[in-house]
């Protein structure tokens, strides 16, 4: 709360706002006319495009006299970087000029010295960085029964710990169209900012580095992770803004007009035309078994003591994918090898994603089992490891 | 002004006056003493007629030159100068008569015992009456800085640039109606002014100090601005710029009150529609940060690239270092905040890269696509003692911005390596390559190249 006291004992308590602009219209001499106006905010916006700083812009109407005017801007109970407070003249930028900004010692305040060619009512835009605004992003997605489309909802939650009441606030998030809201001091508010019906791709991913290779030896079922994949592109009704990192909760419509919770995951920041992968759970109706079938040393070199110093070998692997579901599915198989390796042959198309990762996308018909068989050659190995 | 402020806070008038009034920390006491007479003939406290502040930003030093009119008697005059509560360097205080130069001379400078922040000039005057004098000294506690406000247009093709200079006064002294001059450049100091001020009047000026003082006073110029400047013009002060030796001097037009404890900020340059290039630079590393590293890679630092020259509507002066806040104008005229950084000093005709910060919508990802060991060699005992590692590397760039970008990617290599698929123009130095690409709006590109690194006895460097 701000107390403002003017000449003549006129006292006005501005309980509404802790950000107060006081206009003192000065004549050139020290005997100023004390015109006490407390201009209301004509417009208030909060920009959250840069996650590191909350940027506030407000418009106010100032009544200026010809000559030098001093406008006092002060704030109590809120934290603002005084050196980054800006003022812009909107109506008469050529005849109303900022001459100087003065910063009094030990106060959360500044004084703008504004020169006007004639008496005017000037709309000004004041902007500053406001501390204490925290935002987070979340998503709720409801899949249809066929799991081909998602009802996609994006939310922003803003916590206003700035100490300032923000009324008639336009929020620019950078991830949706701007919207209007109110934020009491201390209030936290979650707002739906975007809602679309978007296509969904479902992906089963079995990773040899993360899952047991022989599920028949396990006491519990081994699940194959299920991902919902959405594309942030205009072709898929999104793609106008990036998607911020945030929690995604996934539900599915059930047969009774209600829906059930499938699972949740952290969605990563997804630029326009990027892809967001959301793990919803694991399927126990797909069983993947990986076996090394054979290993043959096809090259060997020995030193003068007849010890093996360098060799190459070929291994045959068989990955069996069983689909106990009622629909066909595509299972992504990731396998990992290190050092000098290459694929010699394979029953399915493959991609070397990087020097340690081999990837297959294998379609598996409903109720069927598909054997994936491939041969890897590892070269220039030394006993107990590899060169390089 | 100051009394105003206090009154608004409901303080009694007297308190306001005490709080804000000119502190009188520097006082001149003129004692005209008749030689054999112990009577004090005359005590006056002459006002400052004029004061000029020359503030340096590379070191905590300000040259204060003030003019006062003394009334001297013929014969010996004692003039006391004291500066309690300020940060004045006592070794730097100088006295110079401006009128009656041949008739007034300093006979002695005395630092009286028990008065740590004062000195007494013993003057000899051939004339009786008013004499205009200049007193100059160094003080610490005043500094200045520059900051910038860059506003991109909605298409990010051009920017408006506003700069400000800001003076902070923590010197313990208020300067009324001061001419303010700001020096851009790095001066050489052998002792800190604040230390000299702390040691008090007892400090004996070493020779080197005197030499330096003369040098700085020379570079700081002699002339005050013309008399016409005295009145406060009802317009924005202009920042008048001129070169000075290896420095640059900004003079804020008009007279200004530089109050102790206060800061003042004046608009400096304001230029519209400067063409800029959206430029990105990646130096690798920094992968897997803050969960922002997605499948498409890590964010790249964004810069606005321009030049301090005429083509970019600048070029008339060097740009002092300072904070740059970068905004972008929306279609409706309001702004969004892009980022801020500290800009280096930019000489005339030099490139200026304004760092905006990491852009999560421009991503770079490094992948080692393949790695094979080849050409193993053996020592006389038949054991491997050298080999080559063949790597196939790929850098993918994804621009999710609605405008084309220029990107520069640096990659360092070590050991005895050879690059394949990298043109000589892309070699930056012995161990570094620099790929430069233009990526269309919403475009992507992959750069593939090979690296052969020789190990063990195969390595030749």
């Amino acid at each position: 709360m701000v107390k403002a006291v003017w000449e003549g004992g006129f006292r006005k308590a501005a309980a509404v706002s802790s950000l107060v602009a006081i206009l003192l219209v000065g004549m050139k001499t020290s005997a100023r006319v004390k015109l006490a106006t407390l201009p209301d905010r004509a417009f208030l916006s909060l920009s959250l495009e840069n996650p590191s700083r909350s940027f506030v812009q407000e418009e106010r109407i100032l009544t200026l006299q010809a000559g030098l005017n001093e406008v006092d801007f002060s704030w109590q109970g809120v934290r603002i970087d005084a050196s980054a407070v800006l003022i812009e003249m909107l109506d008469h930028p050529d005849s109303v000029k900022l001459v100087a900004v003065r910063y009094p010692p030990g106060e959360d305040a500044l004084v703008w010295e504004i020169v006007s060619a004639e008496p005017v009512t000037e709309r000004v835009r004041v902007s500053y960085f406001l501390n204490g605004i925290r935002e987070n992003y979340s998503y709720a997605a409801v899949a249809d029964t066929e799991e081909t489309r998602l009802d996609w909802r994006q939310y922003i939650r803003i916590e206003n710990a700035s100490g300032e009441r923000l009324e008639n606030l336009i929020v620019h998030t950078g991830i949706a169209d701007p919207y209007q809201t109110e934020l009491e001091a201390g209030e936290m508010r979650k707002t739906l900012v975007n809602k679309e019906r978007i296509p969904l791709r479902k992906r089963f991913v079995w990773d040899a580095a993360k899952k047991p290779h022989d599920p028949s030896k396990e006491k519990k079922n081994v699940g194959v992770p299920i991902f919902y994949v959405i594309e942030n592109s205009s072709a898929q009704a999104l793609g106008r803004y990036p998607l911020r990192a945030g929690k995604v909760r996934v539900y599915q419509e059930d047969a009774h007009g209600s829906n059930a919770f499938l699972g949740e995951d952290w969605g990563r920041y997804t630029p326009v035309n990027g892809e967001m992968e959301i793990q919803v759970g694991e399927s126990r109706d797909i069983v993947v078994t990986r076996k090394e079938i054979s290993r043959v040393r096809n090259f060997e070199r020995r030193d003068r003591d007849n010890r093996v110093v360098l060799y190459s070998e070929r291994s045959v692997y068989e990955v069996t994918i069983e689909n106990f579901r009622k629909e066909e599915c595509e299972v992504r198989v990731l396998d990992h090898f290190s050092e000098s390796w290459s694929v010699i042959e394979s029953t399915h198309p493959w991609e070397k994603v990087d020097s340690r990762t081999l990837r297959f996308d294998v379609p598996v018909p409903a109720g069927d089992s598909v054997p994936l068989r491939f041969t890897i050659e590892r070269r220039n190995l030394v006993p107990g490891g590899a060169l390089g | 002004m100051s009394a105003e402020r206090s009154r608004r806070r409901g303080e009694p008038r007297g308190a306001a006056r005490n709080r804000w009034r000119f502190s009188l920390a520097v006082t001149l006491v003129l004692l005209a003493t008749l030689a054999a007479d112990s009577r004090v003939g005359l005590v006056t406290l002459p006002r400052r007629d004029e004061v000029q502040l020359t503030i340096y930003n590379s070191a905590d030093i300000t040259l204060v030159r003030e003019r006062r009119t003394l009334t001297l008697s013929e014969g010996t005059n004692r003039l006391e100068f004291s500066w309690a509560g300020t940060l004045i360097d006592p070794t730097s205080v100088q006295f110079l008569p401006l009128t009656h130069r041949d008739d007034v001379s300093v006979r002695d400078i005395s630092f009286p015992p028990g008065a740590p922040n004062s000195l007494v000039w013993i003057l000899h005057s051939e004339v009786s009456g008013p004499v205009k004098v200049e007193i100059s000294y160094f003080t610490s506690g005043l500094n200045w800085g520059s900051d910038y406000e860059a506003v991109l247009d909605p298409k990010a093709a051009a920017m408006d640039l506003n700069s400000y200079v800001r003076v902070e006064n923590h010197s313990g002294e208020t300067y009324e109606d001061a001419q303010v001059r700001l020096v851009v450049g790095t001066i050489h100091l052998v002792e800190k002014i604040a230390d000299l001020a702390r040691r008090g009047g007892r400090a004996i000026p070493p020779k080197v100090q005197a030499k330096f003082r003369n040098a700085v006073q020379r570079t700081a110029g002699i002339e005050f601005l013309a008399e016409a400047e005295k009145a406060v013009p009802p317009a924005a002060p202009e920042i008048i710029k001129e070169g000075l030796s290896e420095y640059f001097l900004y003079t804020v037009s008009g007279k200004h009150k530089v109050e102790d404890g206060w800061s003042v900020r004046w608009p400096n340059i304001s230029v519209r529609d400067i063409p800029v290039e959206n430029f990105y630079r990646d130096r690798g590393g920094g992968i897997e940060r803050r969960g922002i590293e997605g499948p498409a890679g890590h964010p790249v630092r964004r810069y606005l690239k321009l030049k301090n020259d005429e083509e970019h509507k600048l070029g008339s002066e060097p740009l002092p270092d300072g904070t740059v806040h970068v905004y972008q104008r929306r279609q409706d005229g309001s702004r969004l905040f892009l980022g801020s950084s500290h800009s280096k000093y930019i000489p005339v005709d030099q490139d200026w890269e304004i760092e905006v910060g990491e852009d999560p919508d421009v991503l770079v990802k490094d992948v080692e696509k393949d790695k094979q060991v080849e050409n193993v060699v053996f020592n006389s005992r038949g054991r491997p003692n050298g080999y080559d590692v063949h790597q196939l590397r790929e850098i993918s760039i994804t621009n999710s911005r609605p405008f084309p970008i220029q990107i520069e990617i640096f990659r360092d290599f070590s050991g005895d390596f050879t690059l394949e698929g990298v043109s000589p123009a892309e070699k930056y130095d012995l161990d570094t390559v620099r790929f430069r690409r233009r990526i269309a709006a919403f475009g992507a590109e992959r750069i593939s190249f090979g690296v052969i690194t020789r190990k063990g006895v195969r390595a030749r460097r």
Side-chain angles (χ1 to χ4, degrees):
Chain A
M1 195 181 88
V2 161
K3 281 188 297 185
V5 183
W6 289 280
E7 284 284 275
F10 172 61
R11 177 180 277 262
K12 182 169 179 180
V16 184
S17 168
S18 55
L19 281 176
V20 175
I22 299 157
L23 184 67
L24 295 174
V25 178
M27 313 296 256
K28 249 163 74 173
T29 61
S30 61
R32 285 198 200 85
V33 176
K34 279 88 187 174
L35 170 64
T37 53
L38 196 70
D40 282 336
R41 284 174 178 144
F43 175 85
L44 179 64
S45 81
L46 173 68
S47 298
L48 303 172
E49 283 97 340
N50 185 328
S52 62
R53 292 179 111 172
S54 312
F55 181 58
V56 172
Q57 291 168 92
E58 49 181 68
E59 284 179 21
R60 297 191 188 238
I61 311 284
L62 298 183
T63 306
L64 301 174
Q65 299 214 340
L68 185 68
N69 298 264
E70 292 190 345
V71 179
D72 201 279
F73 187 73
S74 64
W75 53 95
Q76 274 85 40
V78 290
R79 280 177 300 140
I80 286 176
D81 173 5
S83 67
V85 179
L86 298 175
I87 185 165
E88 250 185 304
M89 314 304 158
L90 299 178
D91 296 330
H92 308 91
D94 295 325
S95 60
V96 179
K97 292 275 185 199
L98 177 69
V99 173
V101 191
R102 293 183 176 272
Y103 302 88
E107 286 177 55
D108 286 334
L110 56 82
V111 181
W112 284 301
E113 292 183 1
I114 297 170
V115 164
S116 176
E118 49 198 57
V120 285
T121 303
E122 184 71 13
R123 205 159 46 91
V124 298
R125 185 185 293 127
V126 179
S127 61
Y128 46 89
F129 298 111
L130 184 62
N131 288 337
I133 300 286
R134 288 185 281 270
E135 72 272 17
N136 90 21
Y137 300 87
S138 61
Y139 305 88
V142 183
D144 60 7
T145 48
E146 291 80 32
E147 291 185 283
T148 56
R149 298 191 80 80
L150 274 183
D151 262 333
W152 177 253
R153 285 158 202 261
Q154 293 175 226
Y155 296 92
I156 180 170
R157 194 184 70 189
I158 304 179
E159 187 187 344
N160 178 14
S162 70
E164 175 73 358
R165 182 178 183 212
L166 302 167
E167 278 183 297
N168 291 323
L169 177 72
I170 306 288
V171 180
H172 292 266
T173 56
I175 53 126
D177 294 337
Y179 66 94
Q180 187 164 8
T181 190
E182 311 275 326
L183 280 169
E184 294 289 335
E187 187 185 0
M188 189 148 71
R189 193 181 274 243
K190 185 174 168 179
T191 307
L192 175 68
V193 290
N194 193 17
K195 187 182 147 187
E196 295 289 350
R197 196 161 168 81
I198 58 170
L200 155 71
R201 265 189 302 144
K202 199 170 170 182
R203 186 183 282 162
F204 298 88
V205 181
W206 183 86
D207 190 335
K210 294 176 181 166
K211 291 291 171 184
H213 294 179
D214 191 349
S216 68
K217 290 181 185 164
E218 304 295 318
K219 286 191 175 134
K220 286 182 177 172
N221 291 78
V222 176
V224 174
I226 307 160
F227 291 90
Y228 278 5
V229 183
I230 62 158
E231 229 177 86
N232 185 22
S233 69
S234 51
Q236 306 215 355
L238 295 173
R240 288 202 300 138
Y241 299 99
L243 301 172
R244 289 276 174 86
K247 191 189 272 183
V248 187
R249 288 206 160 122
V250 181
Y251 304 83
Q252 191 184 8
E253 293 166 4
D254 58 24
H256 317 290
S258 176
N259 58 48
F261 179 56
L262 297 185
E264 64 181 25
D265 196 8
W266 293 109
R268 287 173 150 171
Y269 181 91
T270 308
V272 170
N273 296 330
E275 190 184 87
M276 187 187 268
E277 256 191 352
I278 308 145
Q279 186 182 348
V280 289
E282 295 195 327
S283 170
R284 291 182 290 187
D285 296 331
I286 291 168
V287 178
V288 179
T289 309
R290 177 188 186 268
K291 289 175 183 167
E292 187 176 358
I293 305 284
S294 72
R295 186 187 295 185
V296 177
R297 198 170 273 200
N298 59 348
F299 165 80
E300 211 174 69
R301 180 174 170 127
R302 291 169 186 266
D303 68 3
R304 285 167 65 179
D305 302 330
N306 203 31
R307 285 185 299 208
V308 174
V309 291
L310 199 71
Y311 65 95
S312 298
E313 62 186 20
R314 284 186 178 192
S315 293
V316 178
Y317 295 90
E318 191 174 81
V319 179
T320 309
I321 308 158
E322 296 169 274
N323 179 7
F324 297 99
R325 300 162 74 254
K326 291 192 176 67
E327 302 89 29
E328 187 190 295
C329 66
E330 191 176 80
V331 178
R332 175 164 283 185
V333 174
L334 299 174
D335 211 337
H336 305 276
F337 305 95
S338 57
E339 307 314 327
S340 305
W341 61 276
S342 40
V343 181
I344 301 300
E345 57 182 12
S346 168
T347 55
H348 287 78
W350 52 273
E351 190 188 340
K352 197 167 182 175
V353 177
D354 59 44
S355 62
R356 292 169 176 270
T357 310
L358 179 62
R359 183 171 75 195
F360 302 90
D361 285 323
V362 183
V364 188
D368 204 352
S369 164
V370 172
L372 160 66
R373 190 187 274 253
F374 57 93
T375 305
I376 300 291
E377 181 174 85
R378 279 173 287 225
R379 297 163 52 244
N380 291 331
L381 302 168
V382 292
L387 291 168
Chain B
M1 166 67 225
S2 47
E4 286 316 326
R5 298 188 57 79
S6 305
R7 234 168 288 142
R8 284 205 310 273
R9 280 176 202 89
E11 290 170 20
R13 273 164 180 271
R17 198 170 300 124
N18 289 339
R19 187 167 157 200
W20 292 115
R21 236 176 55 177
F22 178 45
S23 66
L24 287 178
V26 179
T27 56
L28 280 172
V29 182
L30 183 65
L31 304 165
T33 332
L34 298 172
D37 197 337
S38 61
R39 267 188 310 129
V40 176
L42 181 67
V43 179
T44 55
L45 261 76
R47 274 180 53 87
R48 282 181 184 129
D49 300 330
E50 288 172 69
V51 60
Q52 181 193 62
L53 304 173
T54 305
I55 309 170
Y56 293 75
N57 67 346
S58 64
D60 184 6
I61 178 171
T62 295
L63 172 65
V64 182
R65 289 141 57 80
E66 46 180 65
R67 289 179 176 183
R68 306 196 189 221
T69 306
L70 309 181
T71 307
L72 296 183
S73 312
E74 201 179 328
T76 302
N77 296 261
R78 279 173 60 89
L79 177 63
E80 191 186 326
F81 183 74
S82 67
W83 56 87
T86 70
L87 297 168
I88 289 172
D89 165 18
T91 67
S92 68
V93 183
Q94 283 194 329
F95 176 91
L96 182 73
L98 297 173
T99 54
H100 302 286
R101 275 184 201 210
D102 297 333
D103 302 327
V104 177
S105 58
V106 179
R107 284 279 161 84
D108 272 312
I109 308 169
S110 164
F111 294 89
N117 292 305
S118 68
L119 62 79
V120 177
W121 282 296
I122 316 291
L123 306 175
H124 180 77
S125 177
E126 301 282 345
V127 292
S128 186
V131 175
K132 213 169 180 182
V133 301
E134 181 176 294
I135 295 164
S136 69
Y137 47 89
F138 291 137
T139 181
S140 63
L142 277 154
N143 56 65
W144 77 273
S146 200
D147 63 286
Y148 302 85
E149 183 194 334
V151 189
L152 277 178
D153 68 7
K155 288 181 177 165
M159 76 173 193
D160 296 347
L161 180 72
N162 295 315
S163 84
Y164 299 87
V165 290
R166 177 173 167 156
V167 169
E168 278 180 38
N169 182 2
H170 299 290
S171 70
E173 175 71 358
T174 289
Y175 297 93
E176 306 263 359
D177 290 337
Q179 185 191 94
V180 179
R181 312 199 311 166
L182 311 169
V183 178
V184 186
T186 306
I187 57 162
H188 181 234
L189 282 186
V190 294
E191 284 189 275
K192 287 185 177 167
I193 297 304
D195 292 343
L196 292 168
R198 217 169 292 126
R199 271 187 247 152
R202 297 292 135 202
I204 304 300
K207 273 182 186 165
V208 60
Q209 194 66 17
K211 189 177 152 198
F212 156 75
R213 177 174 61 215
N214 293 336
V216 172
Q217 288 187 345
R218 230 180 9 255
T219 50
I222 296 297
E223 290 310 308
F224 281 76
L225 284 187
E227 293 290 304
E229 295 272 6
K230 266 189 169 178
V232 178
E238 198 189 334
I239 311 277
I240 301 152
K241 292 126 186 171
E242 58 191 304
L244 193 75
S245 180
E246 292 303 306
Y247 310 134
F248 213 82
L249 186 68
Y250 285 177
T251 304
V252 183
S253 72
K255 304 277 171 164
H256 302 277
K257 186 174 184 180
V258 183
E259 280 172 276
D260 183 35
W262 285 63
S263 302
V264 197
R265 194 166 175 238
W266 292 285
N268 184 5
I269 55 174
S270 181
V271 188
R272 296 181 70 84
D273 283 326
I274 303 173
V276 291
E277 197 179 287
N278 285 281
F279 179 78
Y280 288 76
R281 181 181 294 124
D282 184 66
R283 293 193 183 274
I287 292 170
E288 293 293 344
R289 283 163 299 174
R290 292 185 275 116
I292 210 164
E293 170 82 16
H298 61 269
V300 185
R301 284 190 183 279
R302 178 180 182 184
Y303 301 82
L304 302 176
K305 205 170 178 178
L306 63 155
K307 207 170 178 179
N308 185 12
D309 64 6
E310 273 182 40
E311 197 190 325
H312 295 86
K313 305 181 180 183
L314 298 168
S316 55
E317 64 194 279
L319 301 167
D321 60 323
T323 303
V324 190
H325 290 292
V326 185
Y327 307 88
Q328 186 167 9
R329 207 169 282 290
R330 298 193 188 96
Q331 293 295 351
D332 68 1
S334 69
R335 296 173 177 191
L336 67 91
F337 171 63
L338 293 179
S340 55
S341 61
H342 186 84
S343 169
K344 287 192 279 197
Y345 167 89
I346 306 294
V348 170
D349 284 334
Q350 202 183 59
D351 286 335
W352 189 17
E353 292 175 355
I354 302 173
E355 191 187 322
V356 181
E358 281 179 356
D359 187 342
D361 289 322
V362 175
L363 300 172
V364 161
K365 189 179 178 77
D366 280 80
V367 178
E368 182 193 61
K369 292 292 281 186
D370 194 29
K371 182 179 177 182
Q372 302 285 339
V373 170
E374 308 285 355
N375 302 328
V376 183
V377 293
F378 301 88
N379 63 14
S380 58
R381 304 207 52 176
R383 297 193 180 137
N385 65 349
Y387 57 92
D388 298 348
V389 177
H390 287 226
Q391 283 173 291
L392 182 61
R393 288 185 51 178
E394 187 181 90
I395 300 173
S396 38
I397 311 156
T398 312
N399 175 20
S400 303
R401 284 282 182 184
F403 48 79
I405 61 161
Q406 295 285 343
I407 188 165
E408 189 175 84
I409 297 171
F410 285 89
R411 289 296 178 265
D412 295 324
F413 303 91
S414 57
D416 178 18
F417 66 90
T418 309
L419 301 175
E420 292 186 335
V422 174
S423 73
E426 291 175 321
K427 288 198 174 156
Y428 181 76
D429 67 15
L430 181 66
D431 294 335
T432 312
V433 293
R434 175 176 60 185
F435 300 105
R436 291 152 132 172
R437 294 289 187 277
R438 183 188 154 87
I439 314 289
F442 297 112
E445 189 170 329
R446 286 183 182 184
I447 302 169
S448 292
F449 59 97
V451 187
I452 299 170
T453 312
R454 288 165 289 276
K455 304 275 193 179
V457 297
R458 298 266 309 154
R460 291 185 299 269
R461 82 174 171 101

